Amino acid sequence: MTSLTTATGPTGSGVPVVNEVVGVPGGIGEPARSARAGALDAWLRRIFPARAGVALVAVGGLGRRQCAPYGDLDLVLLHAGVAGIDELAASLWYPIWDAGLRLDHSVRTVAEALSVAQDDVKVALGLLDARHVAGDPALTDQLARTATDHWRRTAIRQLPGLREITAARWEAHGELAFLLEGDLKEAAGGLRDVGILRAIATAGVTDALRPAVHAAHRRLLDTRDALHQQVGRRVDRLLAQERDGVAALLGLRQPQLGAPVGAASVGPASDGGASDGGASGGRAPVRDDAPPPVAEGDTLLRLVAGDARTVSHALDDAWRAADRLRSGRHRAAPGRPVRRPVARDVVEQDGELVLARTAIGARPDPSLSLRIAAAAATTRLPIARATCEWLAAYCPPLPAPWPPAARAALTTLLGAGPGLVPAWETCDRYGLIDGWLPEWTRLRSLPQHNPVHRFTLDRHLVQTAYEASRHTREVERPDLLLLGAFLHDIGKGLPGDHSTVGAPLAEAVATRIGLPPAEAALIGTLVRLHLLLPDVATRRDLSDPKTVAGVAERVGDTGTLELLHALVQADAAATGPAAWSGWKGRLIAELVARVRTTLDTGVVPAPPAPDPALVAGPLPVVHLGEDRVAVAAADRRGLLATVAGCLALHRLEVISADAATVDGRALVECRVQPRYGLAPDPIALSADLRRAVAGDVSVIQRLRGRALAARSRGAAPRVVWHREAATDAVLLELRAADAAGLLYRVTCALDEAGAQVRAARISTLGGDVVDAFYLVGGWPPDEQRARVEAAVLAAV
């Protein structure tokens, strides 16, 4: 609850409810929560200063008897206008604070509490949980009864405002079902939404608290209990590093693949997994290509996703029921609702899509479910619950290959833009997706163990198709772009490289959908190569003709190149903000332009000429741009290392670096970005660069001191050699944990080992880097490679 007047005590410590002063038990599950509430009630009664005309009322978790191990106390001190109420309140609040408990409190008369509830819908909802703890029970009864009666009379008017507040919260916290690290309370489908469902049910709008919702609610509460005990403090966000520990506390075991999430995946402490509206029905059988059992933490994430979906779906139904009730009350003339055709066999009725009467025949069209899904996505109208249930029960399976109407409907659905995600989720809720794509069972709620990803795999695939719809006008075959975007990660969760493993799976899906062999093969190519452009652009020297020629050979034609470029942008946007940046987009665009020229003309573009400003004038030369640093100095070994160290000293990350020698001048050009988001002082940076490349000992000493203090940590680093990756160089690739000054230390080590670096490409993947160094010369003998490799690993 948001208290009437919120305040936190002097400690504000978040000390656990489990303490010796209060004597509250720990534990997970409904009995433990009820026991905590009972113990807190008893303790509060002991410290309550008994006085006529005063009552202590619990709201929030304590009011519902759902106390988490490290939860807050939400209390209202009611009074009938008695004198000295402030002193009485202080005598109650301070013992609670002294016990180390977090407290949200207010002091009100019944009239004042009801007045605030009339102006604040969140307070009105909080009072629905009001429960007597101590003092005059008549006051509590008056508040609870009047607040509930008022809510029932005014709920229809207040629900639109509550819906706006809820939508803003969802925008801030995302959807729990699809987040890899979601907030169990505030995210869409979380515990906060169950409170809204309870309020809607109290108002009599609809039966929002069905058995499936009760079961999902209990499991979410259990998960939060376990999270509190795992972390040792109040926390609602389920971080990746806590999942395994929480799963162990819940007694989860690895699920049988193909079983409904929430049933076989829970241990003896759980009540099993009822689901809502057919969400867990129609599961495909276990496949021969199934991956090995997932970890318990992944089982927990999939279980939470299923429960969040149940809550979200129930709330969607409740909002629509409220809309229908409100529109019915304001309908100008009585009578049957108006039906408006929106597509073949699909009509709109009361703001929902239903089947036309002619579509419900003895032999329904197998493409009917896809066509109504496409209509829902394009019109952004929900599909009626009864219609979804009818489709799940009576729509026949699609033949292989699909009929043209089904294939066209899928393209329309994937290209519908913002309407795609809600329409897809509704169809998934009722098991329709599994009928279209048997592979979906394996992909549903699958975690992605990469810090740049924000969504589970299923949502990532749908989101990528949505993002690809923004680029359909940039390619000749938008239908293939949408399908390739949707299938690009279909190989994840299976052993091996997901691009390689996923290509034949995607090609098989495309064939089943009805694409001709050449187009199905192109879908496989898109899946196999969907990481080619970003990998090459960020890890290879784009001025090297061999780099461009190699990409052109693998891509084959400009049409495929355009599709890959659009797919890369859609994939990055669907992954998360860390997957894309301006510099990455420019590198990929540069690579695409050079490859397109090669494919059009058959001639690899010549490397760009050095910056004229660097090859003329007195030395040293230092040019600073928004994301570019260029230096020219007298030719000497170690210049790249010196520049890289100076940039690290000023907290600049090097994205790419090129070194060349022209007429006795050593030229170094680097693309950079601030490590912590703040650009350095350009005057100080320029001065340090000039002094460093001129051999100033004081700057060199500062570089070495900073480098030694910032060693990388984490898993053991690894060196990989590539023999044929460059025209005039050998490629050394370092994979290690990221750290400030890493490029400086490695380039110094390479220089001391006698290796000359022509170019470097720095690719950061979360907390790790893949750094590629072009070493001038041919393939070195084994002893020399071993010496260079040892020097690099020692520097890391």
Side-chain angles (χ1 to χ4, degrees):
M1 171 189 175
T2 299
S3 63
L4 307 184
T5 312
T6 300
T8 302
T11 59
S13 59
V15 175
V17 168
V18 183
N19 59 55
E20 296 178 359
V21 176
V22 184
V24 180
I28 298 169
E30 194 166 357
R33 290 189 289 272
S34 181
R36 281 191 286 271
L40 282 168
D41 283 355
W43 181 72
L44 289 170
R45 292 189 190 106
R46 289 198 300 270
I47 67 171
F48 181 73
R51 188 168 177 180
V54 181
L56 183 62
V57 180
V59 292
L62 180 58
R64 297 186 297 271
R65 295 185 179 274
Q66 294 171 350
C67 297
Y70 288 78
D72 292 353
L73 291 183
D74 296 310
L75 299 174
V76 180
L77 187 62
L78 280 182
H79 65 99
V82 300
I85 191 63
D86 290 339
E87 291 78 7
L88 188 149
S91 69
L92 176 62
W93 304 147
Y94 274 94
I96 297 174
W97 289 327
D98 290 342
L101 303 179
R102 293 173 59 96
L103 173 65
D104 287 343
H105 64 82
S106 61
V107 180
R108 298 290 187 195
T109 65
V110 172
E112 289 170 342
L114 294 173
S115 175
V116 176
Q118 289 179 354
D119 298 330
D120 190 332
V121 66
K122 292 189 289 185
V123 173
L125 262 61
L127 291 181
L128 298 180
D129 297 325
R131 182 176 62 81
H132 183 72
V133 175
D136 186 351
L139 280 176
T140 305
D141 180 68
Q142 180 185 1
L143 175 65
R145 184 165 30 83
T146 308
T148 301
D149 290 344
H150 180 267
W151 171 252
R152 286 171 176 162
R153 292 194 310 270
T154 63
I156 289 298
R157 296 197 306 270
Q158 296 196 69
L159 284 178
L162 177 60
R163 192 170 186 175
E164 290 182 6
I165 295 171
T166 303
R169 171 169 53 83
W170 291 348
E171 182 69 22
H173 294 278
E175 300 171 80
L176 181 58
F178 307 114
L179 292 171
L180 295 172
E181 295 185 331
D183 189 304
L184 296 171
K185 184 176 182 179
E186 302 293 346
L191 295 170
R192 184 78 74 185
D193 284 352
V194 178
I196 296 175
L197 283 171
R198 187 167 49 250
I200 294 175
T202 301
V205 174
T206 184
D207 181 18
L209 294 175
R210 294 186 288 273
V213 177
H214 281 296
H217 184 211
R218 285 195 298 273
R219 284 192 295 269
L220 289 173
L221 287 171
D222 290 350
T223 303
R224 185 175 66 173
D225 288 351
L227 179 60
H228 281 203
Q229 292 200 179
Q230 169 70 16
V231 178
R233 58 184 173 85
R234 179 192 174 190
V235 60
D236 295 320
R237 189 179 176 198
L238 183 58
L239 297 177
Q241 63 263 29
E242 310 297 349
R243 284 202 297 258
D244 286 343
V246 172
L249 289 172
L250 291 171
L252 295 184
R253 61 179 183 270
Q254 295 172 350
Q256 294 177 337
L257 199 69
V261 173
S265 58
V266 295
S270 174
D271 57 32
S275 63
D276 189 27
S280 62
R283 294 291 189 251
V286 178
R287 295 171 54 89
D288 293 336
D289 61 351
V294 296
E296 285 79 0
D298 290 356
T299 300
L300 171 64
L301 190 64
R302 300 184 89 159
L303 185 63
V304 168
D307 291 335
R309 277 180 156 136
T310 296
V311 173
S312 291
H313 298 152
L315 189 53
D316 287 343
D317 285 345
W319 292 132
R320 290 201 292 272
D323 291 341
R324 287 194 298 271
L325 182 60
R326 190 166 51 253
S327 63
R329 290 183 176 181
H330 292 88
R331 190 172 288 151
R336 301 177 64 182
V338 177
R339 292 167 63 92
R340 178 179 67 89
V342 297
R344 182 165 70 93
D345 298 327
V346 184
V347 298
E348 176 192 353
Q349 176 179 303
D350 275 344
E352 296 181 327
L353 296 186
V354 300
L355 292 174
R357 297 183 181 92
T358 56
I360 307 176
R363 295 175 61 89
D365 181 358
S367 67
L368 187 57
S369 61
L370 267 166
R371 289 192 287 109
I372 196 168
T378 53
T379 61
R380 302 191 195 181
L381 291 174
I383 307 173
R385 179 179 178 183
T387 298
C388 291
E389 293 172 343
W390 188 94
L391 289 170
Y394 299 110
C395 191
L398 287 160
W402 287 9
R407 188 166 61 254
L410 178 64
T411 301
T412 301
L413 173 61
L414 294 178
L420 166 62
V421 173
W424 189 274
E425 180 61 13
T426 296
C427 293
D428 196 20
R429 168 187 182 183
Y430 291 93
L432 301 180
I433 306 295
D434 292 347
W436 308 339
L437 300 165
E439 298 84 357
W440 198 249
T441 301
R442 177 177 60 81
L443 305 173
R444 183 183 288 108
S445 302
L446 187 67
Q448 303 197 76
H449 298 287
N450 189 309
V452 301
H453 276 280
R454 56 179 172 171
F455 292 132
T456 53
L457 180 58
D458 54 341
R459 175 57 183 274
H460 173 68
L461 294 176
V462 176
Q463 190 72 24
T464 305
Y466 161 65
E467 299 292 348
S469 67
R470 304 172 185 267
H471 302 278
T472 51
R473 297 184 181 182
E474 303 168 9
V475 298
E476 293 182 2
R477 291 296 304 271
D479 56 332
L480 299 184
L481 170 62
L482 294 170
L483 185 59
F486 175 67
L487 297 174
H488 76 284
D489 276 347
I490 192 173
K492 283 189 174 179
L494 298 174
D497 182 282
H498 77 277
S499 300
T500 303
V501 172
L505 298 178
E507 190 169 343
V509 171
T511 301
R512 188 168 71 241
I513 287 173
L515 294 184
E519 295 179 3
L522 179 54
I523 293 295
T525 298
L526 294 180
V527 173
R528 186 180 300 106
L529 301 181
H530 76 273
L531 296 177
L532 175 66
L533 296 182
D535 282 353
V536 172
T538 57
R539 301 182 188 179
R540 297 294 181 263
D541 181 7
L542 303 189
S543 64
D544 192 323
K546 198 161 190 175
T547 299
V548 176
V551 174
E553 181 180 0
R554 297 187 66 184
V555 171
D557 59 79
T558 56
T560 303
L561 180 66
E562 290 176 351
L563 289 170
L564 286 172
H565 191 197
L567 174 54
V568 165
Q569 297 172 80
D571 186 16
T575 297
W580 193 256
S581 62
W583 67 265
K584 188 172 184 178
R586 288 192 295 273
L587 287 174
I588 293 174
E590 179 184 347
L591 173 61
V592 168
R594 295 174 69 82
V595 172
R596 181 182 291 111
T597 300
T598 302
L599 292 171
D600 284 340
T601 65
V603 178
V604 178
D611 185 349
L614 298 178
V615 296
L619 297 176
V621 179
V622 175
H623 286 175
L624 304 181
E626 182 178 355
D627 63 353
R628 174 177 174 268
V629 174
V631 175
D635 189 16
R636 66 177 178 85
R637 296 185 65 88
L639 183 62
L640 175 59
T642 300
V643 172
C646 201
L647 296 176
L649 194 63
H650 287 263
R651 296 180 174 84
L652 285 174
E653 291 182 333
V654 178
I655 299 163
S656 67
D658 292 288
T661 302
V662 178
D663 298 331
R665 290 175 173 239
L667 311 180
V668 176
E669 293 190 62
C670 299
R671 295 288 176 177
V672 298
Q673 64 183 8
R675 174 169 284 270
Y676 304 111
L678 297 175
D681 180 359
I683 297 177
L685 174 59
S686 179
D688 274 352
L689 281 169
R690 292 177 182 277
R691 290 159 53 200
V693 300
D696 190 309
V697 176
S698 63
V699 179
I700 301 299
Q701 289 175 342
R702 287 166 57 202
L703 300 183
R704 291 174 177 170
R706 178 68 62 87
L708 291 174
R711 295 279 172 167
S712 58
R713 299 177 180 178
R718 180 185 173 207
V719 168
V720 179
W721 294 85
H722 299 272
R723 187 168 192 167
E724 303 292 338
T727 303
D728 59 350
V730 175
L731 191 64
L732 181 150
E733 198 171 72
L734 170 65
R735 302 175 184 181
D738 190 18
L742 179 62
L743 178 61
Y744 169 70
R745 295 197 303 275
V746 173
T747 49
C748 282
L750 289 170
D751 182 60
E752 292 171 0
Q756 182 180 351
V757 179
R758 173 173 66 75
R761 293 295 179 271
I762 314 303
S763 179
T764 303
L765 307 172
D768 293 336
V769 295
V770 180
D771 293 353
F773 298 92
Y774 285 77
L775 309 183
V776 176
W779 184 251
D782 294 346
E783 314 83 59
Q784 185 178 350
R785 287 204 316 277
R787 186 174 66 256
V788 171
E789 183 172 331
V792 169
L793 294 177
V796 175

